[in-house]
């Protein structure tokens, strides 16, 4: 195991540090870009690239690059949603995603507003659809960025750190322990298991915001649907001025 793992880590480390870091940034940019995140395993690319980090300087460079790459990808999704959102949604690829997933993303954004942008970064499928959905909404880019930047930072720090620490610990232990390779694999496996469990817990806690209510009404713009309005926003002030809606 150690010999195989040494070969893999040495191969990754033989790549020029600048190129390796750039590839990680591009990988995560594609992963967070419009619908490409459903295909490109950006998290795997980041972990693999991070195993070759040799010192704190390379770690910071990798972390910053991955964060910037994630933000660029999210921004691309936002801009495309604003300019071409309905066309993408009705395109062949958009139809393959499924109308239910598009409605789910819209419903989540309507109900949760900014927090939906933050939380969706850690959820499958939604992390690719929400930036597009936000672009098709009235949310400003500045507000979108304010919610997605912290999420991208947490995500990047977690994946970059585990790759660096796991590989660094392995290199230290492999000199004395012939089973150090199994320990490395176990660390990565435990991390991925924790990530999987965290996603499950988030999905469970957010289920009431993601699913249709008993009446079947949830999406803003549909009869009976109500969009999320944050306190203090212009929409909230307008609703206050208008007074309560008349009852039938």
């Amino acid at each position: 195991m150690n010999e195989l793992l040494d070969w893999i880590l040495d191969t990754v480390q033989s790549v020029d540090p600048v190129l390796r870091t750039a590839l990680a940034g591009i990988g995560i940019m594609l992963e967070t870009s419009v619908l490409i995140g459903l295909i490109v395993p950006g998290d795997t690319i980041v972990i693999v690239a991070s195993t070759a980090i040799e010192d704190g300087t390379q770690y910071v460079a990798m972390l910053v690059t991955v964060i910037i790459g994630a933000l660029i990808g999210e921004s691309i999704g936002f801009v495309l949603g604003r300019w071409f959102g309905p066309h993408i949604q009705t395109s062949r690829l958009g139809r393959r995603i499924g109308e239910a997933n598009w409605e789910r993303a819209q419903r989540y954004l309507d109900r949760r507003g900014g927090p939906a942008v933050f939380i969706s970064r850690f959820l499958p499928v939604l992390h690719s659809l929400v930036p597009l959905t936000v672009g098709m909404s009235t949310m400003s880019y500045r507000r979108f960025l304010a919610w997605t930047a912290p999420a991208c930072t947490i995500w990047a720090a977690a994946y970059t750190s585990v790759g660096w620490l796991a590989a660094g610990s392995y290199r230290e232990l492999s000199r004395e322990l012939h089973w150090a390779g199994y320990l490395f694999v176990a660390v990565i496996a435990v991390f991925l298991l924790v990530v999987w469990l965290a996603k499950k817990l988030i999905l469970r806690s957010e289920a009431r915001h993601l699913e249709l209510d008993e009446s079947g009404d949830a999406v803003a713009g549909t009869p009976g649907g109500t969009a999320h309005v944050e306190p203090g926003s212009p929409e909230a002030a307008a609703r206050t001025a208008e007074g309560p809606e008349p009852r039938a």
Side-chain angles (χ1 to χ4, degrees):
M1 171 63 82
N2 284 14
E3 290 77 9
L4 175 61
L5 194 53
D6 284 338
W7 177 78
I8 294 174
L9 295 180
D10 290 343
T11 299
V12 176
Q13 202 163 41
S14 66
V15 179
D16 179 77
V18 175
L19 175 60
R20 189 172 62 232
T21 303
L23 289 174
I26 293 172
I28 193 59
M29 181 191 72
L30 294 175
E31 198 267 352
T32 56
S33 194
V34 52
L35 305 182
I36 301 177
L38 303 174
I39 304 171
V40 177
D43 47 4
T44 302
I45 295 173
V46 172
I47 287 182
V48 171
S50 297
T51 61
I53 294 175
E54 298 178 350
D55 51 43
T57 301
Q58 289 189 12
Y59 171 77
V60 172
M62 178 70 73
L63 178 60
V64 171
T65 301
V66 171
I67 292 173
I68 292 174
L71 291 176
I72 291 175
E74 297 269 343
S75 299
I76 290 173
F78 177 92
V79 171
L80 290 179
R82 183 131 301 181
W83 289 352
F84 310 108
H87 298 288
I88 295 174
Q89 189 172 351
T90 57
S91 68
R92 183 177 180 182
L93 179 58
R95 292 195 301 271
R96 291 190 63 181
I97 298 301
E99 184 179 351
N101 283 320
W102 287 104
E103 291 182 350
R104 198 175 186 221
Q106 181 65 63
R107 180 163 59 244
Y108 192 41
L109 182 63
D110 289 340
R111 291 178 171 181
R112 295 288 272 147
V117 177
F118 179 91
I119 298 171
S120 66
R121 183 64 195 85
F122 307 98
L123 299 178
V125 181
L126 285 176
H127 77 269
S128 289
L129 295 183
V130 165
L132 266 172
T133 305
V134 175
M136 291 186 284
S137 74
T138 59
M139 182 182 292
S140 67
Y141 176 70
R142 179 180 297 180
R143 183 167 167 234
F144 168 73
L145 197 63
W147 281 104
T148 196
C152 290
T153 300
I154 294 171
W155 185 95
Y159 279 85
T160 302
S161 297
V162 74
W164 179 36
L165 295 175
S169 300
Y170 164 75
R171 291 188 178 94
E172 290 291 331
L173 295 174
S174 63
R175 302 168 185 171
E176 301 176 0
L177 302 175
H178 68 278
W179 46 268
Y182 296 101
L183 184 61
F184 171 86
V185 173
V187 170
I188 299 297
V190 168
F191 171 75
L192 295 178
L193 177 61
V194 169
V195 169
W196 180 80
L197 289 174
K199 290 180 179 180
K200 288 292 184 182
L201 291 174
I202 293 173
L203 281 172
R204 180 176 297 180
S205 67
E206 295 294 302
R208 64 191 179 92
H209 302 297
L210 288 164
E211 305 304 331
L212 289 168
D213 58 23
E214 293 181 359
S215 66
D217 260 336
V219 182
T222 58
T226 303
H228 174 87
V229 176
E230 292 193 353
S233 66
E235 292 86 351
R239 287 191 180 183
T240 302
E242 292 172 1
E245 295 182 358
R247 295 180 177 273

